[in-house]
């Protein structure tokens, strides 16, 4: 074969390969299209997701405050009081979101996930269509990268550490898949709040979420002490959540605003 024919053959092969790759990327994009972002100036109903082992009563004061501001707010009930498979909990959140949209005719929902409820919200967004339905997602004291307490419970007695407990252990396969790539998928705006006093989510900065607006309560009020169970009813947390669920863009509160927010 002449050198000219060899070069021509190589060029043809490169062209064909480029076409094949282009077609493959087009097909992949059509299977997983980037969802259109919900209108940020049109707040819809708010769904509040309880944490591990919680029946939702701890979120009732926050729901009441949201309603006092004219928002529709619902604390959803999770199967097995939040101790079962987090993926099943994410499906429950998805069903609640679709029902709320059908009932209200809103364009989107806002989600507040407390503790493990924030992980549930992320699973729903990443794997169950939530990115196309959520306008804003706020997580409060959520173990996005696991908590050492769950890891210890799983290691000492796995039989007494239910599915969600094992899934919240650092390095679990569920968290590995959830945190692989983009931690905050396109669509909703993301906010993560947490307290350095948290003794349940350990270390507390497991709540740090890449791509989100991360708010450490002690950066706003340096001397405030808020432990894990106190987060949902904290006036500081409530004020930040209400502000970031409004029609304006999400913004980080400043230290000078501590008095106003509390």
């Amino acid at each position: 074969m002449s050198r000219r024919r060899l070069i021509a053959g190589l060029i043809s092969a490169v062209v064909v390969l480029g076409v094949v790759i282009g077609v493959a990327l087009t097909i992949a994009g059509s299977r997983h299209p980037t969802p259109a972002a919900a209108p940020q100036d049109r707040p819809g109903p708010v769904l509040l997701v309880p944490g591990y082992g919680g029946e939702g009563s701890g979120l009732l004061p926050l729901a009441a405050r949201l309603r006092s501001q004219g928002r529709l707010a619902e604390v959803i009930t999770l199967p097995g009081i939040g101790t079962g498979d987090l993926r099943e909990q994410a499906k429950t959140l998805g069903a609640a979101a679709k029902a709320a949209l059908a009932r209200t005719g809103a364009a989107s929902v806002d989600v507040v996930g407390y503790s493990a409820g924030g992980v549930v919200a992320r699973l729903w967004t990443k794997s169950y269509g939530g990115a196309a339905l959520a306008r804003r997602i706020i997580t409060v004291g959520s173990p996005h990268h696991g908590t050492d307490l769950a890891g210890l419970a799983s290691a000492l007695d796995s039989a007494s550490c239910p599915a969600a407990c094992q899934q919240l252990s650092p390095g679990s396969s569920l968290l590995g898949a959830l945190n692989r790539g983009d931690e905050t998928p396109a669509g909703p705006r993301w906010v993560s709040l947490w307290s350095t006093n948290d003794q349940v989510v350990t270390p507390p900065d497991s709540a740090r979420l890449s791509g989100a607006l991360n708010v450490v309560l002690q950066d706003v009020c340096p001397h405030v002490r808020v432990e894990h169970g106190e987060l949902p009813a904290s006036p500081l947390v409530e004020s930040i959540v209400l502000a970031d669920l409004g029609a304006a863009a999400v913004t980080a509160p400043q230290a000078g605003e501590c008095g106003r927010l509390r």
Side-chain angles (χ1 to χ4, degrees):
M1 179 183 294
S2 68
R3 184 178 178 181
R4 182 176 296 176
R5 290 179 63 191
L6 176 61
I7 293 174
L10 288 174
I11 293 173
S12 297
V14 169
V15 171
V16 171
L17 180 60
V19 171
V20 170
I21 292 174
V23 170
L25 290 175
T26 300
I27 293 174
S30 64
R31 289 176 180 170
H32 303 284
T34 300
Q40 290 296 308
D41 59 347
R42 293 166 56 190
V46 184
L47 301 178
L48 298 98
V49 189
Y52 178 87
E55 297 180 354
S57 58
L59 287 168
L60 292 178
L62 177 55
R65 189 165 174 190
L66 283 162
R67 294 186 191 111
S68 74
Q69 299 293 317
R71 300 295 297 274
L72 296 173
E74 172 189 356
V75 180
I76 71 169
T77 301
L78 297 174
I81 61 170
T83 62
D85 191 322
L86 295 174
R87 290 165 293 206
E88 294 304 313
Q89 297 182 42
K91 294 176 185 178
T92 298
L93 171 57
K98 290 178 180 177
L101 293 176
R103 186 170 62 250
T104 63
S108 62
V109 297
D110 290 335
V111 177
V112 179
Y114 166 56
S115 193
V119 178
V120 170
R122 289 184 60 208
L123 284 168
W124 169 62
T125 305
K126 185 169 186 175
S127 301
Y128 301 102
L133 303 180
R135 183 187 73 114
R136 293 183 185 171
I137 296 179
I138 300 179
T139 67
V140 180
S142 295
H144 296 303
H145 303 93
T147 170
D148 292 340
L149 283 184
L152 181 62
S154 180
L156 291 178
D157 185 7
S158 60
S160 63
C161 182
C165 169
Q166 296 185 36
Q167 291 168 336
L168 294 172
S169 299
S172 73
S173 59
L174 181 139
L175 289 178
L178 181 61
N179 292 323
R180 191 174 300 122
D182 190 355
E183 292 187 357
T184 50
R189 301 292 185 269
W190 296 84
V191 180
S192 180
L193 311 178
W194 75 93
S195 169
T196 59
N197 306 131
D198 200 320
Q199 297 178 332
V200 174
V201 175
T202 52
D205 68 356
S206 175
R208 185 175 295 279
L209 194 55
S210 177
L213 175 65
N214 288 279
V215 180
V216 184
L217 297 184
Q218 285 72 23
D219 287 347
V220 183
C221 296
H223 303 296
V224 71
R225 183 172 185 86
V226 184
E227 297 187 5
H228 188 78
E230 300 169 331
L231 282 166
S234 161
L236 177 59
V237 171
E238 289 182 351
S239 295
I240 295 172
V241 169
L242 261 68
D244 283 337
L245 289 183
V250 296
T251 56
Q254 304 302 309
E257 298 180 278
C258 177
R260 178 181 66 81
L261 292 170
R262 294 181 68 185

